[in-house]
Amino acid sequence: MSGHPTADDLMKRLLAAREAGDAHHASANQLRLLRELARDAPTFTPALLELARLLQLTDEPGVDAEVTFTEVQRLLEQAVSVSRRNASSLVELGYFLDVVRGREDDAATLWEESAGKSLKTLEQAWAGLLRGWSDARTKESLEKALRLAERAEKVFPDSLRLLDEVALVREYARQDGLLKPTSEP
């Protein structure tokens, strides 16, 4: 492949590789296509994770299990690195280290890091939803926002970002008659 492939090119190749086999047992052609994609686009994390997952599910004829596991570990470590320690890459490497390598402590460290990143993403997503629903300011959107506001306060009781959005949602809900007005002292 000459030049830099586009995101569309990479996705087409990934989808073609997926279609060349099975999600639970890879064909030789599927593994070949994924290995070529990983070689040509070594920073394309979805291909690295897909190849690593399929290699763990497939016994390649004539390939020793430890050789496969070494390749899987290299792919997963590469995925963690090139994804800038993306949560899903961390989880996958954690499971591999736990189940295959018996390195429970290392796996737990990766899962803790992943959970922290995932929580930060969830906090940001919920803040966006609350803002969007309060901006829409319909009965339905405010009702959804009020339900999410309750969850957000329980999961993120110290998040100023979320608490500001929750306060705005509740103020709009009071103004629109969905909540009782707060009593003045």
Side-chain angles (χ1 to χ4, degrees):
M1 179 173 264
S2 63
H4 295 289
T6 66
D8 284 344
D9 293 336
L10 295 173
M11 284 308 300
K12 284 178 188 171
R13 288 181 67 186
L14 181 61
L15 293 174
R18 286 178 177 164
E19 291 172 5
D22 179 305
H24 304 292
H25 182 76
S27 69
N29 187 42
Q30 186 177 31
L31 292 177
R32 180 186 59 77
L33 291 171
L34 285 168
R35 282 183 172 123
E36 288 173 0
L37 180 53
R39 180 199 65 223
D40 295 344
T43 61
F44 187 48
T45 304
L48 300 172
L49 294 175
E50 182 100 0
L51 178 55
R53 183 182 61 78
L54 284 173
L55 284 169
Q56 291 176 78
L57 299 174
T58 304
D59 289 327
E60 288 185 277
V63 179
D64 181 68
E66 185 51 39
V67 170
T68 298
F69 291 149
T70 299
E71 181 180 6
V72 168
Q73 186 168 344
R74 179 189 57 76
L75 289 165
L76 293 173
E77 289 170 347
Q78 184 177 342
V80 165
S81 175
V82 300
S83 71
R84 298 180 65 196
R85 305 188 70 78
N86 169 282
S88 59
S89 297
L90 291 166
V91 166
E92 292 302 320
L93 179 56
Y95 276 112
F96 176 81
L97 292 178
D98 180 40
V99 173
V100 176
R101 298 295 191 207
R103 292 171 44 193
E104 296 86 5
D105 290 346
D106 291 335
T109 300
L110 292 168
W111 292 329
E112 286 173 7
E113 182 181 349
S114 176
K117 288 176 181 257
S118 297
L119 282 171
K120 186 68 178 164
T121 300
L122 180 62
E123 178 185 6
Q124 293 169 354
W126 281 2
L129 282 171
L130 290 170
R131 173 162 296 187
W133 287 335
S134 65
D135 286 350
R137 204 165 172 176
T138 65
K139 180 180 186 291
E140 295 79 22
S141 69
L142 288 175
E143 287 172 344
K144 287 193 284 189
L146 287 169
R147 286 190 298 272
L148 181 56
E150 285 185 41
R151 291 178 71 195
E153 285 180 314
K154 290 176 185 170
V155 176
F156 299 104
D158 300 322
S159 169
L160 296 178
R161 180 175 185 185
L162 278 173
L163 294 178
D164 287 345
E165 296 298 337
V166 166
L168 184 60
V169 164
R170 290 197 173 126
E171 178 58 32
Y172 286 166
R174 276 191 283 283
Q175 289 174 10
D176 293 1
L178 296 174
L179 285 179
K180 293 180 183 179
T182 57
S183 57
E184 298 290 325

